Amino acid sequence: MSIQIVNMTHTYMPGTPFESTALKEINLQMDQSEFIGMIGHTGSGKSTLVQHINGLLRPTEGKLVVYGIDLSQKNADLKKVRSTVGLVFQYPEHQLFEETVEADIAFGPKNMGVTGEELKERVHEAMRLVGLREDTATRSPFEMSGGQRRRVAIAGVVAMRPQFLILDEPTAGLDPQGREDILRLVQRLHSEGTGVLMVTHNMNDIARIADRVIVIDYGRIRFDGTPREVFSHVDELEEMGLDVPDASKLRRMLKDVMPDFPDDLFDAEGVAAYLLQRMRGDRHDE
Ligand SMILES: Nc1ncnc2c1ncn2[C@@H]1O[C@H](COP(=O)(O)OP(=O)(O)O)[C@@H](O)[C@H]1O
Ligand SMILES: [Mg+2]
């Protein structure tokens, strides 16, 4: 029930003048019990990394084992990998192509051999989970708004019932309500036992909901730990061109006036609780 990556390197177009190494000696172990957030500047290698995990890209060097299937081997069972690990691409709505919402959502599970009543049930369950109304089933995805199309695309992956779900910037470009809905869906799938790896630029979201954060920088892993650990490196993250959670910025400001302010408070509630406790404590001292 896990994903193991050992010394994995990926080079695009090796042996040509365009050769570029996008991942360098990646070592990672990810478990189905986890909710992992992945961050990194544009071009750092996040999409390249996640595409390896469901077999779309092959490691140039190193080893990758997904739920017992060794993807470094040429004859690896890719079909099995893709039904175990679901990948929601960046801007997945650009890849819709069927005439109706239900046909689009059914595409993945149908390819896995699911038919008849079970197929119908999966499509409708997935629609419910992503918050699509029943009466949209027969509509054309192309007549829907961007946010609704994103839901259709995510439902198509959810309908395959993956054990591990990877989402590459699933909330990019959505309005706050759309973003909140997608996050709630992912949290729900995780609480029901699905492993999650979510690539995102939204630091406040990741600080709030992930239990592990991985930071990629120029194809290498720079930090890998709890949000508390990772977001204590405010200055280094900013040097990498990354944003940090608002509470981390607040903490840094407070540290200027309270040099002993703890380094590891990264969420608004933690900062507020500490301040309150401290104000009460100071009053007792008078
Ligand atoms: N199909 C490709 N062919 C050649 N180079 C690529 C390809 N896809 C990505 N790259 C390069 O690999 C690096 C990592 O890209 P990517 O994995 O898309 O990063 P991210 O998702 O973090 O923005 C970048 O330098 C990018 O230009
Ligand atoms: Mg990307």
Side-chain angles (χ1 to χ4, degrees):
M1 308 265 272
S2 72
I3 293 158
Q4 285 133 357
I5 303 178
V6 184
N7 279 328
M8 187 173 83
T9 292
H10 186 83
T11 303
Y12 284 107
M13 299 182 273
T16 75
F18 307 103
E19 176 173 306
S20 88
T21 298
L23 293 175
K24 294 168 198 144
E25 291 158 24
I26 299 288
N27 286 288
L28 267 183
Q29 156 113 19
M30 294 182 279
D31 197 82
Q32 189 169 324
S33 62
E34 297 183 287
F35 191 127
I36 305 170
M38 180 173 283
I39 58 179
H41 60 83
T42 302
S44 57
K46 305 177 300 294
S47 295
T48 301
L49 178 55
V50 301
Q51 287 175 67
H52 278 80
I53 304 172
N54 91 335
L56 279 172
L57 291 174
R58 295 300 188 105
T60 311
E61 279 170 55
K63 198 167 163 151
L64 168 63
V65 181
V66 176
Y67 283 72
I69 300 168
D70 186 348
L71 282 170
S72 347
Q73 305 287 331
K74 275 211 153 50
N75 59 353
D77 185 350
L78 290 180
K79 208 161 176 171
K80 179 104 181 283
V81 169
R82 288 182 192 145
S83 65
T84 308
V85 176
L87 172 60
V88 176
F89 288 93
Q90 237 169 309
Y91 297 102
E93 61 274 19
H94 295 168
Q95 302 188 7
L96 300 175
F97 58 91
E98 296 280 355
E99 278 173 22
T100 65
V101 166
E102 59 188 351
D104 235 308
I105 300 173
F107 183 82
K110 221 159 122 181
N111 251 352
M112 289 166 51
V114 180
T115 55
E117 275 310 304
E118 178 173 1
L119 183 60
K120 254 190 218 156
E121 190 192 308
R122 282 193 185 207
V123 169
H124 289 279
E125 183 197 39
M127 286 183 65
R128 228 175 12 254
L129 278 168
V130 302
L132 284 169
R133 286 193 351 223
E134 281 289 317
D135 60 10
T136 57
T138 53
R139 282 184 58 189
S140 162
F142 302 100
E143 295 164 358
M144 300 168 94
S145 70
Q148 292 293 88
R149 286 210 303 274
R150 176 87 47 98
R151 287 172 203 247
V152 175
I154 294 175
V157 176
V158 168
M160 296 200 278
R161 296 196 182 147
Q163 287 172 268
F164 201 99
L165 181 62
I166 303 174
L167 304 105
D168 197 351
E169 307 200 20
T171 61
L174 296 183
D175 59 27
Q177 184 60 50
R179 203 176 82 217
E180 218 25 69
D181 288 349
I182 301 291
L183 292 178
R184 216 170 297 136
L185 160 72
V186 177
Q187 280 179 296
R188 175 168 169 190
L189 292 171
H190 180 249
S191 72
E192 289 169 359
T194 309
V196 175
L197 172 62
M198 185 169 90
V199 177
T200 182
H201 281 295
N202 194 307
M203 303 300 158
N204 292 326
D205 289 345
I206 221 63
R208 186 161 53 95
I209 64 181
D211 42 53
R212 176 177 170 194
V213 178
I214 296 171
V215 183
I216 309 272
D217 189 37
Y218 290 105
R220 294 181 191 273
I221 295 177
R222 272 291 290 274
F223 296 113
D224 180 355
T226 62
R228 187 175 280 250
E229 286 160 2
V230 170
F231 290 124
S232 68
H233 300 276
V234 188
D235 296 336
E236 285 121 303
L237 291 169
E238 284 186 344
E239 271 166 33
M240 285 180 225
L242 294 176
D243 198 8
V244 293
D246 294 335
S248 299
K249 291 182 207 158
L250 179 59
R251 177 178 56 75
R252 183 171 51 191
M253 285 159 71
L254 288 166
K255 214 170 159 63
D256 281 344
V257 288
M258 297 179 200
D260 59 335
F261 197 89
D263 279 318
D264 59 353
L265 294 176
F266 65 92
D267 63 317
E269 286 83 2
V271 171
Y274 177 82
L275 283 177
L276 279 172
Q277 186 192 21
R278 184 137 166 177
M279 286 159 79
R280 289 203 187 99
D282 287 350
R283 216 176 305 147
H284 286 306
D285 293 341
E286 279 167 14

